[in-house]
Amino acid sequence: MNGLITALKVTKEATPVFPPLQSAAGAILAIIDVFQKMSSNKGDIEMLTRYLEKLGEFYKTVSASFPGDYKRVCPEALRRRLEDFDREVREIEEDLRKLAAQALPAQLLNADDTADEIDGFVRRLSMLVNNLVVGGTISIELAVDELQIVIIQGFDHMDDRFDGISDQIDGLGTQINQLLNESGAGLRYTIQARFDFHKSGRSACDSNTRREALATVYTWLRPEDPRLSEYPAPLHDVRPENPVFWINGLAGTGKSTLAQTIAHWCEDVDFLGATFFCARDGDRSNVSLIVPTIAHQLGSFCPAFRESVFGAVKANPDIHGSLVSRQLQKLIVEPLRAVKAKGSFPPCAVVIDALDECKDDEAVSVVLKVLALYVSKLAPLKFVITSRPIQRVTDGFSLDTLIDHTQQFSLSTIPVEATRRDIANFLRTRLADIKRRYYVGGYWPSDQEVNELVDLASELFIFAATAVKFVGDGRTNDPERQLVFLLRPSEPSSVAAARDSPYRYLDALYLQVLKSAFPKLDRRVRAEMKNILGTIALIQEQLHPGALEALLHLKGGLVRRTLRDVHSIIVVPPTDEEVIRVIHRSFADFITDSGRCTETDFLIHSALQHTVIANHCVQNLFLLRRDICQVRHEALLNIEIPDFNARVARHIPLHLQYACKYWAYHLCHADLEQEVISHLGTFCRSYLLFWLEALSLLGSLDIAVEALQAARNALQRLPLPPADIIAILYDGERIVRFCYPAISASCFQIYKCALPFSPTSSLLRTLFASQARDTVQIRSGLQKSWSPNIMSPEGHGGRVQCVSYSPNGERIVSCSEDATIRLWDARTGTPLHVLDGHAARVCGVAFSPSGKELLSGSDDLTVKLWDATTGSILGTWKRHIRDVRSVAWSPDGRYAASGSYDTTVVLWPVSEPNDTTVLAGHADEVDSIFFDSDGDLLSGSHDGTCKVWDVDNKACKRTLTHPSPVMCVTGSRDSKIIACGCRDFTITLWSKATGAMLHVLKQHAWWIWSVDFSPDNRTLASGSWDHTLCLWDVASGELLQTLLGHADQVLTVRWSPDGTHIVTGECDHSVRIWECGAKMLERDSLSKKKSTTPRSSVVEKRTWEPSTGTYSSTGDHHVSTVRVVSFSPDGKLVATAAWDGTIRLWDVTTGTRLKTLVGHKHLVTSVVWSTSGGLLSSTGDQDHTVRIWNVKTGRCVETFSQHTGGVWTSGFTHDERRVVSSSDDGTIRLWTIGNKFGAISEVLFRGSGPIYSLALSSNSRWILSGSLDAIPCEPQQDIVGPSRKPVRVAGNIRGPWEESFGYPTLRLHDTSGHVLWMENHTCTVASLAFSHDCTRALSGSQEGELFLYDLSNILAPHNAPPASPQPASAGVTTLHAFEVGDGLAVEHVTFSEDERAIITDASYHPLDSKLWPEAARHTSAIASEAPVYFLLDGWLWRAVPELRRICWVPPTFRHFRQGSTAWRGNMAIREHIVAFGTKHGQLVILDVSGC
């Protein structure tokens, strides 16, 4: 600080060259003086020092750039910046002086407020300095202020430019759309990666070069090809039987030229199957596009293969987002197998060039790993792959399964003499062309000059190619002089600066080209040149000149004019049909590296250039608008939009596409200043949702979360972060995570789903409220603020037993009782892979320390080792004799461990898994193991102990004893503390070093299933049977936060590697990701308040009920799964019932709770309204009762309790005097309401098993029942049926812990209970219904089957007088069987209002007229247009008058449809109102009338 004060004094007292800076320096000195007297905050001092150092450097830059008179030489815009800075600094000085002038007692009294004010002054000053330095430096360096008029003009003429661009790309869009139609919806590929893409600018080898190398490759490809006689002998022996050929070499050695030549050679004889030429930018850098692109091209090569790919894409519509291994399996391996099974697939070559250029974060190339996995199944494909020999590629080709199948060819093994000869031949050929073109006389070039060029090339073909372009530059028209400049540069010192660089001659060549192109640079020309060159060097995708000008808001033609003399290093196309290409990527590295580019006139300062690009990108986003592609039909998915690709190309031109995808990349690499921040604020407040729409259309929504996070983090690093912008960016991130499946599928769901379902306090919701037109209105269930639960990926079909993050935090792995392991994208929740291989429940899974492998343990008694990238099984180990409950890796990856119910822990050396060690010592089941960071192994057992094992000595070091079984163990990252969760509802923290008990944590209401320390060791997370996730302060043992929102037991918890998130798995089949960073915890304030309430809601008096395993609450909503949702007959009320034993009545219009009906114990299984709506009938599981309620008073008027098992359903007779019910006890009972003799029932039917479903006909004369019989249904003389054989199945009613088995049976009864007809089913009957005239019946099953029955031969029509049923011989006909869309349980089934269609909660089935009930067939009434809605795969549909998608409903707003009956949620529909009962206890009411 002292040095800075001295520098400021020098500035203040210097000759008055720049008066504003001098004045500001004086004010800053005064501020520092007051600041030093009033504050001792070291953080503030460090911040101010850092920014004042930048101000000092800026002063030097200004002084050097504008010597002389300030007013005469300083540009007006920069002068205004300086004067504004001076004025604002002096305002801070004045405010600070006023604060300092307060009396001492006042300062002491308001010490905290004073400190906050001083901190604010420091941040304001630091921000002012930052804005001046960044903005001023850009103004000086790139003359941005002087080009503002150009930018304004660019905006004024932007529409005209778009029209021109649109005209140019119309043809391309049509071609793309045709290709889309050919490939099938969902297969994303890139035509730019083709070897013959007309804009690539690649060339093949000259005829007299690289002949030995080509002969080597050709001999491997086609050893019998007669054309080989034209080539010399191969350089090496080749093995044609190997399916892979790897060409590797350093940058600039001609690998891509070789690949191009090979592709042409193969194509000449119809041997080329596919090509993918990678690049560092755009789609060609996307590793996820390699396999789909190759599959598309192979489909063109072989029509039969194309048909198989069509089927694969249709069956896997999300294949574009899957792991590369799954893509290869589904798009190439399986179609190839199918084609070969029917005939043959012609042999062909697949060329992949520059594999190292693809963006691949894996330690080993993901493409090579999956190739190794399937290489034996890819015949007759032969792969030619080129790359630099970088580590991840080299390691890939070293994989055991690939190394034996690969022919390797390093260009470095080509004799130096041969390479020099080829370069010389190339130079002579190309220079001879130049000589003829320019009429150069004499012996030119001389042999000496060619040899000198060969020496300078240092075996790099790229140097030779660049040199030829430089010499033959048409702008100079003097190749002789150009050659002299190249061989004898006027400033040889430019090479000496990088004498040790392998590219020193190439750098000198680049510099010579630039000096020749720009011999004289005035300030404006230099600024334009640096702006354009810097952008070309730093952009992430190549653009054509018009797009680059549009991106930077430059005048038309400026890019071509500026670059006209640098064609030797930058290829500038004459039209906008092609992109600008840098001849070699080393130029971009050169021009941004001060160690290589020694001329400041050409050196690009990357951070400043990123600032400029970011600013222009954000301004381009102001061109976005809703429905930018003018689709006008917002119910469509992206793949359903007509001419989709053509529309995108026409309405989102290249420069706007670029801005959409990369504004945040440039922003987070930039030095931010006020102008960029101001534009970013405008974007956030007015265009952010339009940007998300555009990303969805571009298939790039996956970058949104990372972009928004990066932008937020960049802003938070500023001395004065803009809080409102940060809040909007956060809202945007949450919206993407919240609705990712919907928005990625349909761009319009950003308005139809994300907006209406976002919390009421969301700033983004408020700002874009006008965009929420024609959307659903949520009358009940909307959150006030964002829940800490940011995502809940769906996919598992059973309880999630274990979860874990990958070491880099990018992926999540989960395992389940459905016997699968799933990989998820941690940012978006996108499913990446499903690993099948275990034969029973998978209880434990963990990533290896490297993230390359996975370890899993299962009830099938095995431990499996998996490749985390490809999903292949690397090993299956068996040593345990009972369920494997937990697995773990040692920190160094040498050992894997498994704990089992057989009481043992097994230690597996990963390299020698047969050399196992069994650690015995526990006396009961081992439920949990954990490797500490110091290498010790922890194990927790039901014997009440946690043991610490010395892995090296295979011995127990310490035993920690608890009073109850230990369910889970973990260790802090520093190996100092052990945490054990126990069955007595406590967590004990132990000192590992001493064995001393540190804390006993008490808050949970039931067993502790999982515990995990945060990466900084300060916080412990715990998951419990009581449905909660608790966060604890490790030092004090105090509870920090209780996160509510789980609907069932929290079986597993794990922190993300960066400590910002927690992933959990629970019994309701869900994986949940929680935000748990410092921002959410707010440690200091929470420790004071000791709050256990989540931010998202306030819940009143939650009480854990051990007998039910759920909560009860006095709050508005239930706090356990809502099992029943039912509308009153007039649609004004809705009733809900749940596991908490209560029934709640709600006003449909306002969404407010009116009454809570209390009486049942445990689960309420059904609620049925009487016809008038004055009474309710409810049934209870645990209390075995039927209760009748007066709706108006809320009082229970009757309790029927003669059932001896759980009662599942009931129904009023049409006169409302009697109630029919069915039960676990196998009976159907008839009750009379208000019976003066008491609540006595008549048993209408007694069967051998529970009766779970029941339906009464509209005239109360007939009953349908669905049961799970203990004894199979056999034919009887007076009963029709059954026609199918009985099948014994699991009922799937209460879950695996109380599973019931039996024979599913459907029966038809008369009012006396007599059985008229019966039928066997293959799964439990979940729902039943009669048509109004009783001639048709419906049944829906637990597995998504729907049956329509004709009862007309056995029952009298509804309007017929009472009579006996028809003879049994008449029979019942099964008219039709349907499959409901998602294959899940059919909870509701009914006929439409006109009875010409069937409606379920997940489907709509119009009926052929011959299937209609009798009454519908004999009426001429027009088909009903009453609204019909259903929910399928999360999408809400309207079926009448036309089938139309309404919106996607996020998981937290809809009912849970998987699992056993008792734990599923429910839904109900009344006209335009849709109500969901969620697994979290919420009632969600949607008004769809406005859609």
Side-chain angles (χ1 to χ4, degrees):
M1 179 66 81
N2 291 334
L4 286 171
I5 292 174
T6 301
L8 286 168
K9 288 179 178 178
V10 170
T11 302
K12 177 176 178 292
E13 296 167 3
T15 305
V17 177
F18 287 92
L21 275 181
Q22 286 186 307
S23 173
I28 292 172
L29 282 170
I31 292 171
I32 292 174
D33 181 60
V34 176
F35 175 67
Q36 288 182 322
K37 293 176 181 177
M38 297 186 65
S39 176
S40 59
N41 188 317
K42 292 183 178 179
D44 286 346
I45 293 173
E46 291 175 357
M47 178 194 298
L48 190 57
T49 301
R50 188 166 62 250
Y51 282 99
L52 290 179
E53 285 174 349
K54 294 181 179 181
L55 181 62
E57 292 298 319
F58 176 70
Y59 176 76
K60 295 176 184 177
T61 301
V62 172
S63 301
S65 300
F66 306 106
D69 180 63
Y70 159 73
K71 291 187 176 180
R72 184 177 61 83
V73 300
C74 185
E76 181 182 350
L78 179 59
R79 187 166 65 248
R80 283 199 305 269
R81 285 179 185 268
L82 296 173
E83 291 168 354
D84 289 345
F85 175 73
D86 174 38
R87 174 177 50 77
E88 294 181 75
V89 168
R90 284 189 281 108
E91 288 176 2
I92 294 176
E93 177 196 7
E94 180 64 24
D95 292 343
L96 192 57
R97 285 189 185 279
K98 289 178 182 178
L99 182 65
Q102 290 181 356
L104 181 60
Q107 292 185 25
L108 294 176
L109 186 62
N110 302 300
D112 290 342
D113 292 340
T114 300
D116 289 342
E117 287 190 66
I118 293 173
D119 177 69
F121 289 137
V122 171
R123 292 183 178 277
R124 280 175 58 193
L125 178 59
S126 299
M127 194 68 194
L128 284 176
V129 172
N130 175 79
N131 291 338
L132 174 68
V133 170
V134 176
T137 304
I138 291 174
S139 178
I140 295 168
E141 189 76 16
L142 300 175
V144 169
D145 292 323
E146 298 163 62
L147 300 177
Q148 286 300 312
I149 184 65
V150 177
I151 294 177
I152 295 171
Q153 291 172 349
F155 268 120
D156 290 343
H157 297 90
M158 195 61 69
D159 289 339
D160 294 338
R161 176 170 289 160
F162 287 165
D163 291 340
I165 293 173
S166 297
D167 292 341
Q168 293 171 16
I169 62 181
D170 271 346
L172 174 61
T174 302
Q175 295 170 22
I176 294 174
N177 196 62
Q178 290 171 354
L179 290 171
L180 177 69
N181 293 334
E182 292 173 5
S183 65
L187 183 62
R188 297 180 183 173
Y189 60 93
T190 174
I191 61 173
Q192 297 175 355
R194 288 181 60 93
F195 83 104
D196 55 355
F197 183 60
H198 68 286
K199 299 180 183 179
S200 68
R202 288 184 295 270
S203 59
C205 298
D206 281 6
S207 59
N208 59 347
T209 62
R210 291 301 200 193
R211 293 177 60 77
E212 292 89 354
L214 291 170
T216 305
V217 182
Y218 294 164
T219 303
W220 171 81
L221 275 170
R222 292 170 59 87
E224 305 301 325
D225 195 304
R227 294 175 294 171
L228 290 175
S229 61
E230 303 170 7
Y231 288 84
L235 289 169
H236 309 288
D237 292 336
V238 296
R239 301 188 300 277
E241 68 277 8
N242 283 1
V244 182
F245 196 103
W246 178 34
I247 303 172
N248 65 80
L250 297 175
T253 52
K255 299 180 296 298
S256 292
T257 306
L258 278 172
Q260 186 77 8
T261 309
I262 293 165
H264 279 291
W265 190 81
C266 293
E267 187 190 40
D268 288 344
V269 290
D270 200 24
F271 191 73
L272 184 64
T275 57
F276 195 102
F277 278 64
C278 307
R280 280 202 296 185
D281 65 314
D283 288 344
R284 292 188 297 154
S285 69
N286 188 346
V287 71
S288 295
L289 285 177
I290 294 179
V291 171
T293 300
I294 291 173
H296 168 71
Q297 294 181 33
L298 289 176
S300 300
F301 181 75
C302 175
F305 184 87
R306 181 171 63 241
E307 293 302 318
S308 293
V309 172
F310 283 175
V313 173
K314 187 175 181 180
N316 302 273
D318 60 347
I319 194 69
H320 61 274
S322 299
L323 292 179
V324 178
S325 56
R326 180 172 169 80
Q327 290 180 341
L328 186 64
Q329 176 191 356
K330 297 297 181 182
L331 298 181
I332 296 182
V333 174
E334 292 180 1
L336 196 61
R337 182 169 61 233
V339 172
K340 290 191 290 186
K342 296 178 181 178
S344 63
F345 187 97
C348 63
V350 176
V351 180
I352 302 176
D353 176 58
L355 181 61
D356 55 294
E357 299 275 359
C358 269
K359 295 175 182 176
D360 184 355
D361 296 330
E362 295 289 333
V364 178
S365 166
V366 65
V367 172
L368 297 180
K369 289 185 75 173
V370 301
L371 190 61
L373 179 64
Y374 292 108
V375 67
S376 61
K377 301 177 182 178
L378 292 170
L381 304 182
K382 302 192 81 171
F383 289 82
V384 178
I385 300 173
T386 76
S387 76
R388 290 178 297 139
I390 61 173
Q391 193 64 46
R392 72 168 184 269
V393 176
T394 301
D395 289 349
F397 280 111
S398 299
L399 294 170
D400 291 343
T401 50
L402 197 55
I403 193 170
D404 294 334
H405 292 85
T406 302
Q407 175 91 41
Q408 299 193 13
F409 178 31
S410 173
L411 298 183
S412 64
T413 63
I414 299 175
V416 174
E417 298 78 16
T419 301
R420 288 178 58 87
R421 179 204 67 205
D422 288 345
I423 291 176
N425 288 341
F426 171 82
L427 288 169
R428 287 191 175 94
T429 300
R430 297 303 173 92
L431 291 176
D433 290 340
I434 292 172
K435 179 179 180 180
R436 285 191 297 272
R437 193 162 70 245
Y438 289 98
Y439 305 103
V440 178
Y443 187 68
W444 184 91
S446 67
D447 289 342
Q448 180 181 348
E449 288 171 321
V450 172
N451 289 335
E452 287 181 32
L453 284 176
V454 172
D455 290 339
L456 288 175
S458 298
E459 301 177 49
L460 294 177
F461 270 87
I462 184 60
F463 181 94
T466 305
V468 167
K469 285 179 175 291
F470 179 73
V471 172
D473 193 341
R475 308 290 178 178
T476 65
N477 270 330
D478 194 347
E480 294 169 292
R481 184 167 65 91
Q482 290 290 91
L483 182 58
V484 172
F485 283 162
L486 182 58
L487 295 177
R488 296 166 186 82
S490 57
E491 299 179 30
S493 60
S494 61
V495 177
R499 191 173 301 280
D500 295 331
S501 169
Y503 300 109
R504 58 189 182 277
Y505 295 115
L506 186 60
D507 292 349
L509 174 57
Y510 287 150
L511 203 54
Q512 185 64 44
V513 171
L514 292 173
K515 286 181 177 181
S516 176
F518 305 102
K520 295 180 180 179
L521 289 171
D522 63 29
R523 185 163 177 270
R524 178 159 182 164
V525 172
R526 186 190 70 162
E528 291 174 342
M529 177 269 295
K530 294 187 75 169
N531 191 21
I532 292 170
L533 287 182
T535 302
I536 291 172
L538 295 178
I539 57 174
Q540 298 300 291
E541 287 187 17
Q542 297 171 342
L543 300 173
H544 57 65
L548 186 60
E549 287 162 354
L551 179 69
L552 299 178
H553 303 103
L554 301 176
K555 286 183 177 180
L558 182 61
V559 169
R560 289 189 180 88
R561 289 198 301 273
T562 302
L563 301 179
R564 62 187 175 187
D565 292 333
V566 292
H567 282 225
S568 54
I569 52 178
I570 299 177
V571 179
V572 184
T575 69
D576 286 347
E577 289 293 319
E578 301 180 34
V579 298
I580 299 169
R581 291 186 299 105
V582 178
I583 193 170
H584 197 264
R585 72 178 191 178
S586 59
F587 175 71
D589 299 331
F590 159 77
I591 205 171
T592 57
D593 186 345
S594 59
R596 294 178 62 182
C597 183
T598 56
E599 294 288 335
T600 56
D601 279 347
F602 304 114
L603 177 65
I604 303 300
H605 297 283
S606 296
L608 295 180
Q609 188 63 42
H610 278 298
T611 305
V612 172
I613 301 173
N615 200 13
H616 286 296
C617 281
V618 173
Q619 290 179 76
N620 271 287
L621 298 179
F622 300 167
L623 301 167
L624 296 170
R625 61 188 181 276
R626 180 170 177 163
D627 192 12
I628 191 170
C629 288
Q630 299 180 16
V631 178
R632 297 188 177 89
H633 298 286
E634 298 191 348
L636 299 178
L637 299 182
N638 292 347
I639 60 174
E640 296 168 347
I641 295 173
D643 301 326
F644 176 72
N645 279 14
R647 284 178 181 270
V648 172
R650 181 164 58 252
H651 295 286
I652 312 180
L654 289 180
H655 71 281
L656 187 53
Q657 292 186 26
Y658 184 89
C660 286
K661 290 193 280 190
Y662 297 110
W663 67 267
Y665 169 82
H666 293 293
L667 189 81
C668 65
H669 286 83
D671 287 337
L672 298 183
E673 51 90 32
Q674 190 55 46
E675 184 181 4
V676 180
I677 296 169
S678 176
H679 288 146
L680 183 61
T682 302
F683 161 70
C684 288
R685 297 182 192 97
S686 303
Y687 299 95
L688 193 147
L689 293 192
F690 306 153
W691 169 65
L692 293 177
E693 176 192 330
L695 285 184
S696 175
L697 290 165
L698 295 172
S700 300
L701 187 67
D702 56 322
I703 70 173
V705 171
E706 186 175 353
L708 293 166
Q709 283 181 339
R712 195 156 49 92
N713 292 337
L715 293 176
Q716 287 172 332
R717 289 193 293 267
L718 292 172
L720 203 62
D724 59 335
I725 299 177
I726 291 172
I728 298 171
L729 291 170
Y730 177 76
D731 277 352
E733 177 191 334
R734 290 301 303 267
I735 273 180
V736 175
R737 289 180 183 269
F738 183 51
C739 298
Y740 184 85
I743 304 172
S744 61
S746 171
C747 63
F748 298 114
Q749 290 303 307
I750 191 67
Y751 316 108
K752 298 294 188 181
C753 170
L755 263 186
F757 287 101
S758 60
T760 55
S761 66
S762 164
L763 188 54
L764 203 61
R765 179 190 181 98
T766 303
L767 290 169
F768 290 88
S770 63
Q771 299 299 325
R773 57 182 182 268
D774 303 328
T775 62
V776 297
Q777 301 298 311
I778 293 90
R779 294 183 178 179
S780 173
L782 201 59
Q783 296 175 321
K784 293 181 180 179
S785 58
W786 289 110
S787 164
N789 180 200
I790 62 174
M791 274 191 305
S792 300
E794 300 175 292
H796 277 300
R799 290 176 292 182
V800 179
Q801 299 289 140
C802 187
V803 292
S804 183
Y805 272 95
S806 61
N808 62 10
E810 294 179 357
R811 289 186 289 170
I812 291 169
V813 65
S814 60
C815 64
S816 167
E817 69 177 358
D818 64 10
T820 69
I821 299 167
R822 291 179 180 263
L823 286 165
W824 314 85
D825 185 306
R827 294 172 304 167
T828 65
T830 303
L832 300 175
H833 215 313
V834 180
L835 310 184
D836 292 305
H838 282 293
R841 174 178 63 170
V842 187
C843 296
V845 67
F847 276 100
S848 66
S850 68
K852 298 178 182 179
E853 297 87 19
L854 288 168
L855 192 69
S856 63
S858 167
D859 286 359
D860 64 9
L861 315 186
T862 68
V863 175
K864 289 184 182 290
L865 183 67
W866 309 77
D867 186 303
T869 301
T870 66
S872 60
I873 298 175
L874 303 177
T876 299
W877 309 333
K878 187 171 182 180
R879 186 68 183 266
H880 292 288
I881 58 174
R882 287 191 62 193
D883 305 354
V884 181
R885 293 289 298 167
S886 182
V887 294
W889 289 88
S890 64
D892 58 8
R894 293 170 51 216
Y895 290 102
S898 55
S900 168
Y901 272 176
D902 64 9
T903 76
T904 69
V905 177
V906 173
L907 201 60
W908 311 82
V910 176
S911 60
E912 296 291 339
N914 292 326
D915 187 19
T916 60
T917 300
V918 178
L919 305 178
H922 283 294
D924 207 336
E925 299 167 337
V926 176
D927 227 336
S928 177
I929 61 172
F930 178 84
F931 263 108
D932 228 339
S933 58
D934 61 5
D936 287 343
L937 180 62
L938 313 178
S939 61
S941 168
H942 291 184
D943 64 9
T945 67
C946 169
K947 291 184 178 292
V948 183
W949 303 89
D950 184 321
V951 172
D952 292 333
N953 296 321
K954 314 299 189 294
C956 179
K957 297 169 61 174
R958 189 183 298 280
T959 299
L960 307 173
T961 303
H962 305 76
S964 71
V966 177
M967 310 302 293
C968 52
V969 297
T970 192
S972 60
R973 303 298 198 267
D974 58 8
S975 298
K976 293 181 179 180
I977 300 175
I978 296 172
C980 299
C982 298
R983 198 179 287 180
D984 63 2
F985 324 153
T986 67
I987 302 166
T988 304
L989 301 185
W990 304 85
S991 167
K992 183 179 177 184
T994 65
M997 185 183 296
L998 303 176
H999 299 289
V1000 177
L1001 313 181
K1002 297 180 179 180
Q1003 173 65 27
H1004 285 294
W1006 211 247
W1007 298 358
I1008 316 298
W1009 285 122
S1010 183
V1011 287
D1012 193 39
F1013 282 96
S1014 63
D1016 63 4
N1017 301 311
R1018 297 173 61 191
T1019 309
L1020 181 75
S1022 60
S1024 167
W1025 187 314
D1026 67 10
H1027 307 184
T1028 65
L1029 167 64
C1030 287
L1031 303 179
W1032 309 83
D1033 183 88
V1034 174
S1036 66
E1038 292 185 356
L1039 179 69
L1040 294 173
Q1041 188 81 317
T1042 298
L1043 300 180
L1044 306 176
H1046 292 92
D1048 210 329
Q1049 302 173 43
V1050 184
L1051 299 177
T1052 173
V1053 301
R1054 288 294 181 273
W1055 286 87
S1056 63
D1058 62 3
T1060 60
H1061 295 87
I1062 290 176
V1063 60
T1064 62
E1066 62 176 298
C1067 275
D1068 72 354
H1069 308 181
S1070 70
V1071 174
R1072 296 179 185 272
I1073 303 172
W1074 300 79
E1075 183 180 53
C1076 294
K1079 177 184 174 183
M1080 194 217 75
L1081 285 177
E1082 297 171 347
R1083 239 176 234 282
D1084 294 337
S1085 61
L1086 282 174
S1087 62
K1088 294 176 184 177
K1089 298 177 183 178
K1090 298 182 181 179
S1091 170
T1092 60
T1093 303
R1095 295 181 301 166
S1096 58
S1097 60
V1098 177
V1099 179
E1100 303 172 14
K1101 296 184 180 179
R1102 288 170 54 99
T1103 304
W1104 176 256
E1105 303 291 346
S1107 61
T1108 65
T1110 58
Y1111 285 94
S1112 62
S1113 170
T1114 59
D1116 279 348
H1117 289 271
H1118 303 278
V1119 287
S1120 57
T1121 301
V1122 178
R1123 180 68 196 105
V1124 179
V1125 183
S1126 178
F1127 280 103
S1128 62
D1130 61 6
K1132 294 180 179 179
L1133 301 178
V1134 64
T1136 60
W1139 275 83
D1140 59 13
T1142 67
I1143 302 164
R1144 302 183 187 221
L1145 301 181
W1146 307 78
D1147 184 294
V1148 171
T1149 303
T1150 64
T1152 56
R1153 178 179 60 89
L1154 301 176
K1155 294 182 178 68
T1156 298
L1157 313 183
V1158 180
H1160 283 290
K1161 298 178 181 178
H1162 206 344
L1163 173 66
V1164 179
T1165 54
S1166 73
V1167 173
V1168 178
W1169 296 82
S1170 65
T1171 305
S1172 67
L1175 297 176
L1176 277 177
S1177 172
S1178 62
T1179 56
D1181 179 19
Q1182 192 177 64
D1183 61 12
H1184 306 170
T1185 65
V1186 179
R1187 292 177 180 266
I1188 308 300
W1189 307 84
N1190 182 297
V1191 174
K1192 185 174 181 180
T1193 65
R1195 293 179 54 226
C1196 179
V1197 297
E1198 295 272 7
T1199 300
F1200 303 135
S1201 54
Q1202 287 184 311
H1203 278 298
T1204 58
V1207 187
W1208 284 97
T1209 187
S1210 66
F1212 285 97
T1213 58
H1214 68 284
D1215 59 7
E1216 301 189 12
R1217 296 172 55 190
R1218 292 171 295 174
V1219 173
V1220 178
S1221 61
S1222 65
S1223 166
D1224 275 343
D1225 63 13
T1227 66
I1228 300 174
R1229 293 176 180 265
L1230 179 67
W1231 313 84
T1232 301
I1233 300 173
N1235 189 335
K1236 62 182 180 180
F1237 300 107
I1240 300 174
S1241 66
E1242 176 186 352
V1243 177
L1244 301 181
F1245 174 78
R1246 186 180 298 277
S1248 63
I1251 303 173
Y1252 294 123
S1253 54
L1254 195 72
L1256 251 65
S1257 65
S1258 57
N1259 59 8
S1260 304
R1261 292 167 58 186
W1262 317 110
I1263 301 171
L1264 283 169
S1265 68
S1267 60
L1268 193 66
D1269 294 351
I1271 301 171
C1273 171
E1274 299 292 344
Q1276 298 181 33
Q1277 185 174 1
D1278 60 340
I1279 298 176
V1280 179
S1283 62
R1284 294 191 291 262
K1285 293 182 179 180
V1287 180
R1288 189 171 186 269
V1289 300
N1292 197 26
I1293 302 299
R1294 291 187 175 86
W1297 292 341
E1298 300 180 62
E1299 189 59 272
S1300 54
F1301 292 85
Y1303 299 89
T1305 309
L1306 173 63
R1307 290 182 174 87
L1308 174 66
H1309 312 258
D1310 61 19
T1311 51
S1312 68
H1314 177 69
V1315 179
L1316 308 176
W1317 162 72
M1318 65 175 64
E1319 184 59 278
N1320 291 312
H1321 275 256
T1322 56
C1323 62
T1324 307
V1325 178
S1327 56
L1328 295 164
F1330 283 98
S1331 63
H1332 188 72
D1333 65 3
C1334 302
T1335 62
R1336 299 288 186 270
L1338 298 171
S1339 72
S1341 79
Q1342 291 272 29
E1343 296 180 356
E1345 296 171 312
L1346 181 62
F1347 296 94
L1348 172 64
Y1349 302 99
D1350 181 359
L1351 305 181
S1352 59
N1353 289 334
I1354 194 170
L1355 298 184
H1358 172 62
N1359 57 358
S1364 301
Q1366 302 297 311
S1369 58
V1372 172
T1373 303
T1374 304
L1375 292 176
H1376 203 74
F1378 304 85
E1379 291 290 332
V1380 175
D1382 53 12
L1384 299 177
V1386 182
E1387 288 275 352
H1388 300 282
V1389 62
T1390 186
F1391 286 95
S1392 62
E1393 187 176 276
D1394 60 8
E1395 300 205 311
R1396 296 176 179 181
I1398 300 172
I1399 305 168
T1400 77
D1401 42 5
S1403 62
Y1404 175 77
H1405 305 274
L1407 295 176
D1408 187 271
S1409 59
K1410 64 183 179 182
L1411 301 179
W1412 294 351
E1414 293 293 330
R1417 295 172 65 184
H1418 294 97
T1419 180
S1420 59
I1422 299 174
S1424 170
E1425 292 193 4
V1428 174
Y1429 297 94
F1430 62 90
L1431 188 84
L1432 179 62
D1433 294 330
W1435 292 89
L1436 182 64
W1437 291 80
R1438 181 172 181 174
V1440 177
E1442 61 179 358
L1443 186 63
R1444 180 165 57 91
R1445 188 182 292 103
I1446 301 297
C1447 71
W1448 188 72
V1449 182
T1452 53
F1453 288 87
R1454 51 179 148 94
H1455 62 309
F1456 178 60
R1457 298 196 59 225
Q1458 292 184 326
S1460 56
T1461 301
W1463 293 96
R1464 288 197 292 266
N1466 219 315
M1467 70 178 289
I1469 299 169
R1470 175 78 178 191
E1471 295 184 346
H1472 291 291
I1473 304 299
V1474 181
F1476 296 105
T1478 74
K1479 57 186 175 183
H1480 308 96
Q1482 300 285 304
L1483 170 66
V1484 176
I1485 301 177
L1486 307 182
D1487 182 349
V1488 199
S1489 60
C1491 301

